[in-house]
Amino acid sequence: MKSSNLTYLQKFKSQFNPSGYQFVLLDNQGIIVESCNTLFNLDFYQGLSAFTFIPFLESIQETLIEMNVTDKPLYFPRLDIPFFSHHHIYDFTFQRFRPNNEASFIAWVVKDNTLQYHYLRQVQQERNMAIVKSERSRLNG
Amino acid sequence: MGKTSLVRRFVFQEFSDEYLTTLGVRIDKKVVELGDYTVNMILWDIAGEVAQTKVPVSYYLGAHGVIYVFDVQRPSSFENIKADLDYIQSKLFDAPICVIGNKKDLISEGELQKLSEQLPVEVSFFTSAKTGENVELMFAQIAQRMLNT
């Protein structure tokens, strides 16, 4: 749809990134084949193995390489990673994507959940501090 | 328990008294020289849970060793220690496990001794992230044990 044909609501929505997702395809060496760059720009790293410069991926590379199309997607919630100068909280999902007989990729889906988890972190922080305080007063008392 | 403080002490040689909860998992990396070997240690600092069964199963993937941390001052942090370790071992058969009692600077040697005798498992190290005592030693030991497996 052309921009001029958008409804007022669609024009308003177009100012935002409603998905908050980034999609990346890696080959079996971890080389970045394609990235939509919605959350962070990986163009500079195209052709390089993400296993060599992202420690998280390095630590699970054996599992990623062995994934099959029939396997359930691997889900890693609440990853607190200083990532390309962004200090956000992400959910990562990985699955094998085989669009045809010749091509096979590790599909990596990144969801930025920083805002949602910010509230959860505050609640958890208060809860944990209350538990520690209660335990200390019980022991001292 | 001080898991994040132990990692910060080991990776960045720093300590803060401020408590900041870990939501899911924090990832850090440190390269360690062990004799003729260079070991890339990728540390998954996992949020403390009431029981290990609450930890997402995916967090165990790719783990080659485990550091289980409890707070020597808080009985609730070690009351499930045996069940927790049994569960971890069922998930990671071959991974060496280091059991750590942290915050040793807050209690006396006598109290540590008494605590060791009361626990149903053997403690590998008593550490202090605050003073740094035994922190390097503990990480070096788990790295060496991972190399040996």
Side-chain angles (χ1 to χ4, degrees):
Chain A
M1 190 182 285
K2 285 183 184 173
S3 170
S4 57
N5 294 334
L6 297 177
T7 66
Y8 290 136
L9 181 66
Q10 286 168 331
K11 279 182 184 169
F12 179 70
K13 280 176 70 179
S14 70
Q15 299 173 59
F16 297 85
N17 164 25
S19 72
Y21 284 96
Q22 178 152 343
F23 296 86
V24 185
L25 293 182
L26 309 170
D27 72 9
N28 255 9
Q29 279 73 50
I31 290 170
I32 297 166
V33 178
E34 202 175 343
S35 166
C36 70
N37 294 339
T38 307
L39 302 175
F40 38 80
N41 191 342
L42 290 175
D43 283 348
F44 181 75
Y45 300 93
Q46 292 254 332
L48 298 175
S49 172
F51 296 157
T52 61
F53 60 88
I54 301 175
F56 172 80
L57 297 182
E58 183 184 350
S59 63
I60 57 164
Q61 63 175 300
E62 288 164 26
T63 306
L64 296 179
I65 291 165
E66 287 168 8
M67 270 193 316
N68 289 310
V69 176
T70 51
D71 292 341
K72 280 185 183 171
L74 280 177
Y75 178 56
F76 294 88
R78 303 186 302 278
L79 300 174
D80 190 342
I81 304 181
F83 205 49
F84 302 108
S85 308
H86 304 259
H87 203 123
H88 290 190
I89 300 174
Y90 301 102
D91 290 350
F92 286 178
T93 307
F94 299 91
Q95 65 187 88
R96 175 68 60 185
F97 175 55
R98 190 166 288 154
N100 56 49
N101 286 337
E102 286 80 45
S104 177
F105 304 102
I106 298 162
W108 172 26
V109 183
V110 182
K111 172 90 167 83
D112 185 349
N113 271 325
T114 307
L115 286 176
Q116 293 88 327
Y117 286 145
H118 177 69
Y119 172 73
L120 184 61
R121 187 198 289 273
Q122 283 181 324
V123 172
Q124 184 173 294
Q125 173 98 4
E126 287 170 16
R127 182 202 66 177
N128 287 1
M129 288 175 79
I131 290 170
V132 172
K133 193 176 171 187
S134 160
E135 186 171 7
R136 287 209 175 124
S137 64
R138 202 169 56 245
L139 290 170
N140 295 332
Chain B
M1 267 74 90
K3 299 179 290 297
T4 303
S5 294
L6 283 168
V7 173
R8 283 179 68 171
R9 166 64 70 187
F10 178 60
V11 178
F12 304 109
Q13 290 81 48
E14 61 183 30
F15 175 80
S16 168
D17 265 324
E18 186 191 7
Y19 168 69
L20 189 63
T21 185
T22 304
L23 206 52
V25 58
R26 294 172 59 91
I27 315 284
D28 280 297
K29 177 175 176 174
K30 181 163 174 170
V31 178
V32 179
E33 300 296 334
L34 271 182
D36 294 336
Y37 296 97
T38 300
V39 183
N40 273 335
M41 293 188 82
I42 299 167
L43 306 159
W44 289 45
D45 171 16
I46 295 173
E49 297 287 355
V50 178
Q52 283 300 305
T53 48
K54 304 278 184 201
V55 173
V57 178
S58 58
Y59 287 2
Y60 290 94
L61 288 172
H64 295 100
V66 176
I67 299 168
Y68 182 97
V69 183
F70 68 89
D71 178 340
V72 294
Q73 274 206 314
R74 289 182 52 209
S76 67
S77 74
F78 49 81
E79 62 190 10
N80 293 325
I81 195 165
K82 181 78 171 65
D84 278 351
L85 291 172
D86 287 347
Y87 179 78
I88 293 167
Q89 259 166 347
S90 74
K91 295 281 173 201
L92 301 165
F93 314 106
D94 300 325
I97 301 175
C98 234
V99 179
I100 303 302
N102 191 40
K103 304 191 184 178
K104 79 175 290 263
D105 52 291
L106 297 178
I107 65 174
S108 67
E109 286 298 326
E111 286 170 309
L112 282 179
Q113 183 61 37
K114 196 174 161 191
L115 179 58
S116 291
E117 288 163 7
Q118 287 171 346
L119 287 169
V121 300
E122 192 178 338
V123 179
S124 313
F125 288 99
F126 286 106
T127 58
S128 166
K130 189 172 187 175
T131 66
E133 190 175 352
N134 287 338
V135 176
E136 289 278 337
L137 206 58
M138 175 266 288
F139 278 102
Q141 194 210 61
I142 190 81
Q144 186 63 59
R145 287 174 63 191
M146 286 190 293
L147 270 180
N148 295 344
T149 53

